[in-house]
Amino acid sequence: MKRALNKTLYIIAYGFWYLVALLPFPVLYLLSDGLYLLISRVVRYRHKVIWKNLKNSFPEKTDNELRLIERGFYHWFCDYIVETLKLITMSKEQLMKRMTFTGTEELNRILSEGKSAGVYLGHLGNWEWITSLPYWVDNALCCQLYHPLENEYFDRLFKYVRERQGALCIPMQESLRKIIQFGRNGKPLVVGYISDQTPFWWSIHHWIQFMNQETPVLTGAERIVKHTRQVFVYGDMTRTSRGHYNCEFRIIREETKGLPDYEITDLYFQELEKSIRRQPEIYLWSHNRWKRTRAYFEENFEEVDGKVRLKEGKK
């Protein structure tokens, strides 16, 4: 019964998504403007989380300056929603016009030498449109890590949309095995890592200062990059105008195998912070990024032989 219900919901969702995606961009942006009024003025979607994140990240700014960023965030977030819906029907020509990449010459040089690249990104701009990268690189397999959805039908839908341009989705739990497997096929890889999510308690091995706050960070991508000798590349996203984005590739470290622990992670967050401070309104402030504190972690958890576990007597 549950399976049949999920399949029915999937068919409805797919049909609705596709019909909306057939609308031209001017109409979609009118819908976005209406959605902005609803979620920012009526619903006030995650306002407390957004405001807390902004206040803590920019203590030097006045409340008026923060309100401008918040309004800009809501406008961008609504655009991001309709732009992502549009992805299911966008042609190669549309995507290459609206999602451009610079620094591809250096990226293609790396690939021509048989090296693979690990491209670090953040929840900045329209990261879903990054899946159009296969249109811009030569003789490489592009893929991105993702968290599969619990509902298998909706997972299939989102996976289909993200793979339409030729970039493969790799489930997080299979990442290293799949990357090694793909690497044996002879083609160099370009692997996208969106690594600014909040780690689970038992995945916390490193803390940094990020956006003026002590922050636990994911380090799994770094271990994969070093283990497979990928070149460390940062993808610097900007929104050049409404519905148009650019991602600039910058090689941060070409040799990664022998780098000290967490150097790649630290450098990534330094680059990401510069990008956020340049265009703060296009970062995902509604995510409760700083919900885990170091004080709580140190009180309740400990690391033993590289694994994080609850301290004795803690629940």
Side-chain angles (χ1 to χ4, degrees), residues 38-190:
L38 176 66
I39 73 167
S40 68
R41 305 288 177 83
V42 181
V43 178
R44 289 173 65 80
Y45 170 72
R46 307 210 78 181
H47 166 72
K48 290 182 179 179
V49 171
I50 295 166
W51 190 251
K52 178 184 175 183
N53 286 342
L54 290 174
K55 287 282 281 186
N56 291 338
S57 297
F58 302 103
E60 75 283 2
K61 294 187 181 295
T62 65
D63 282 0
N64 284 336
E65 290 173 317
L66 295 177
R67 288 189 190 97
L68 285 175
I69 295 174
E70 183 183 35
R71 284 200 291 271
F73 162 77
Y74 278 125
H75 274 296
W76 160 78
F77 183 68
C78 294
D79 283 356
Y80 162 78
I81 291 172
V82 300
E83 289 165 2
T84 300
L85 291 173
K86 185 66 175 175
L87 188 57
I88 200 170
T89 60
M90 288 180 74
S91 67
K92 176 181 178 180
E93 292 71 27
Q94 278 183 308
L95 270 168
M96 291 188 76
K97 179 181 178 181
R98 289 179 171 272
M99 181 69 244
T100 58
F101 296 88
T102 52
T104 51
E105 301 84 3
E106 276 296 283
L107 189 59
N108 282 319
R109 174 187 66 79
I110 291 168
L111 299 173
S112 70
E113 295 171 358
K115 300 175 182 177
S116 292
V119 178
Y120 275 74
L121 302 154
H123 286 92
L124 188 78
N126 194 320
W127 55 91
E128 299 292 351
W129 283 9
I130 292 286
T131 57
S132 62
L133 180 59
Y135 299 146
W136 296 79
V137 298
D138 302 328
N139 193 36
L141 176 62
C142 297
C143 47
Q144 62 268 341
L145 306 192
Y146 84 111
H147 289 285
L149 301 176
E150 289 185 13
N151 185 301
E152 63 174 304
Y153 294 104
F154 282 95
D155 181 64
R156 185 191 306 171
L157 175 58
F158 278 89
K159 191 168 178 283
Y160 166 73
V161 172
R162 288 169 174 166
E163 291 186 339
R164 277 190 72 238
Q165 286 72 45
L168 299 180
C169 291
I170 302 176
M172 290 287 292
Q173 64 271 26
E174 302 176 23
S175 53
L176 181 58
R177 179 176 63 83
K178 286 285 189 181
I179 288 169
I180 292 174
Q181 178 185 324
F182 289 150
R184 287 173 179 161
N185 291 337
K187 270 190 175 183
L189 305 177
V190 179

